[in-house]
């Protein structure tokens, strides 16, 4: 009996460690997914610097006791897989949302129970909004364009003053030469 408690304690500690180093944790209902597609999903997530775990809900709940998930016990009822995103949380959310869409086209958020991100609990609709964000590269390029626009306008304004002067002088020269 003591061995079983030690094993469970180590599992809970491992979950807590994963929670601490992950940027996003998604609670996902994996019922309806066969073993082979679930294995493929695990491999995809691993390549995205994420991890999918299936375990006992009571042990998951003990690991999340000191987080906002403790107030949302309903996410740990029924078949639950946890997806820990250590890298880009948006890419992982997109992939999980795609899988959820494949399971239920009418209500794609039905398989997503919730998420934990930056110490805040996210509802399935929040995970959907996160999944619909453009990729990080697009957001950075939009930000850079926004930051460059005033500078480019200023440079063009400075450039236009001497240009207008040259054009005015050329017009005066043409007028005098006629």
């Amino acid at each position: 009996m003591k061995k079983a408690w030690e094993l469970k304690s180590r599992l809970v500690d491992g979950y807590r460690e994963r929670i601490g180093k992950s940027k996003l944790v998604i609670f996902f209902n994996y019922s309806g997914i066969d073993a082979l597609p679930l294995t493929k999903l695990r491999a995809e997530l691993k390549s995205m610097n994420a991890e999918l775990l299936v375990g006992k809900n009571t042990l998951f709940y003990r690991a999340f006791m000191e987080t906002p998930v403790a107030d949302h016990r309903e996410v740990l009822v029924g078949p639950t897989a946890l997806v820990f995103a250590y890298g880009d949380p948006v890419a992982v959310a997109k992939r999980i949302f795609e899988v959820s869409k494949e399971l239920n086209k009418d209500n794609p958020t039905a398989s997503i129970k919730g998420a934990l991100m930056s110490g805040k609990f996210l509802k399935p609709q929040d995970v959907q909004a996160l999944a619909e964000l453009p990729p990080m590269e697009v957001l950075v390029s939009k930000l850079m364009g926004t930051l460059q626009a005033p500078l480019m306008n200023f440079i063009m304004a400075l450039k236009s003053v001497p240009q207008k002067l040259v054009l005015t002088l050329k017009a005066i020269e043409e007028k005098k030469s006629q």
Side-chain angles (χ1 to χ4, degrees), residues 141-159:
S141 65
K142 284 183 179 181
L143 176 65
M144 293 307 294
T146 304
L147 293 174
Q148 283 182 337
L151 184 60
M152 292 304 291
N153 290 340
F154 180 67
I155 290 170
M156 295 306 282
L158 288 177
K159 183 180 172 186

Side-chain angles (χ1 to χ4, degrees), residues 43-120:
E44 283 180 51
L45 290 171
K46 191 172 185 174
S47 71
M48 299 168 81
N49 197 14
E51 180 180 24
L52 184 139
L53 287 178
V54 175
K56 293 187 73 131
N57 287 339
T58 52
L59 297 179
F60 286 149
Y61 184 71
R62 286 184 184 163
F64 283 96
M65 287 293 282
E66 293 153 12
T67 68
V69 176
D71 297 333
H72 300 276
R73 180 79 166 107
E74 70 276 4
V75 298
L76 292 170
V77 174
T80 306
L82 269 59
V83 179
F84 294 93
Y86 306 117
D88 184 12
V90 175
V92 173
K94 279 182 194 291
R95 184 61 190 120
I96 295 300
F97 190 70
E98 287 171 11
V99 170
S100 185
K101 267 189 198 174
E102 291 169 12
L103 291 173
N104 189 346
K105 292 178 182 164
D106 297 332
N107 186 8
T109 58
S111 296
I112 299 171
K113 296 181 173 188
L116 179 70
M117 183 175 185
S118 301
K120 292 189 175 102

